[in-house]
Amino acid sequence: MKKQCQLLQNLILIIVLVTSVSSCGTKPPALNYPALANAAIKLDIDIEFKDNHNLYLESAGWLGVPYRIGGTTKSGVDCSGLTLNIYSTVFDTKLKRNTTEQMKQSTKVSKRKLQEGDLVFFSSKNSKKQVAHVGIYLKDGKFVHASSSKGVIVSKLNEAYYKKYWIRGGRVN
């Protein structure tokens, strides 16, 4: 009996919600489920309703693009060219063209406080402690970036290389 009462209450709540949404002319967001499913597979990430779908769709569209120093197109892109393009498309934000300027353009964020869309900055064995690489944080410890050896890929922040050369996260407002 208690279970039936709870089911009835839930059904009434759903009817009220549907009626109120449909009566004010509000439509649920149009989602391209096949494209989101494809992006989730390509990025190896579970994309949830609350996530920034445009970020995942755009990032997936860049996967496999070859690395080209100074490149800013899908025929070849470097790390700051990738972040510049994704930010322009997804966030309607103009980033500077190089990693140093992009880091200056962002507010420092610790690794544990990263949110989807934050920039992630790294040094390299050749750059000493200076910023040399940038990517965009997705979620679950993963980020998209243009690797000089593999092109545009998704990597994990906990990989030994990225742990060793981590500088900081950055949030662009």
Side-chain angles (χ1 to χ4, degrees), residues 54-71:
N54 290 335
L55 174 62
Y56 296 101
L57 291 170
E58 185 66 20
S59 296
W62 283 90
L63 288 182
V65 170
Y67 180 85
R68 180 171 296 134
I69 193 161

Side-chain angles (χ1 to χ4, degrees), residues 16-160:
V16 168
L17 286 173
V18 168
T19 305
S20 65
V21 169
S22 63
S23 66
C24 67
T26 304
K27 293 181 183 176
L31 299 176
N32 184 339
Y33 291 106
L36 285 170
N38 189 42
I41 292 166
K42 288 174 86 174
L43 296 166
D44 191 27
I45 288 180
D46 290 329
I47 301 172
E48 299 174 44
F49 185 77
K50 66 178 176 53
D51 292 335
N52 183 333
H53 297 162
N54 290 335
L55 174 62
Y56 296 101
L57 291 170
E58 185 66 20
S59 296
W62 283 90
L63 288 182
V65 170
Y67 180 85
R68 180 171 296 134
I69 193 161
T72 59
T73 69
K74 289 192 176 176
S75 62
V77 69
D78 65 15
C79 63
S80 60
L82 176 68
T83 56
L84 177 139
N85 274 288
I86 291 176
Y87 258 74
S88 176
T89 302
V90 175
F91 301 109
D92 196 27
T93 299
K94 185 171 174 53
L95 290 181
K96 304 289 185 182
R97 180 58 186 95
N98 67 57
T99 55
T100 302
E101 292 300 314
Q102 287 181 5
M103 191 163 82
K104 288 178 186 174
Q105 195 176 351
S106 66
T107 305
K108 186 176 183 177
V109 177
S110 69
K111 196 182 288 188
R112 71 180 186 284
K113 292 190 177 179
L114 286 171
Q115 297 174 2
E116 65 179 7
D118 284 343
L119 298 173
V120 288
F121 298 98
F122 306 90
S123 62
S124 70
K125 60 183 170 191
N126 296 329
S127 72
K128 313 250 190 254
K129 297 287 182 186
Q130 300 299 313
V131 65
H133 189 60
V134 63
I136 298 176
Y137 186 73
L138 298 172
K139 65 188 274 188
D140 301 332
K142 295 179 181 180
F143 67 103
V144 63
H145 63 115
S147 159
S148 59
S149 60
K150 298 177 183 174
V152 179
I153 59 171
V154 173
S155 296
K156 295 178 182 177
L157 290 173
N158 66 3
E159 291 175 31

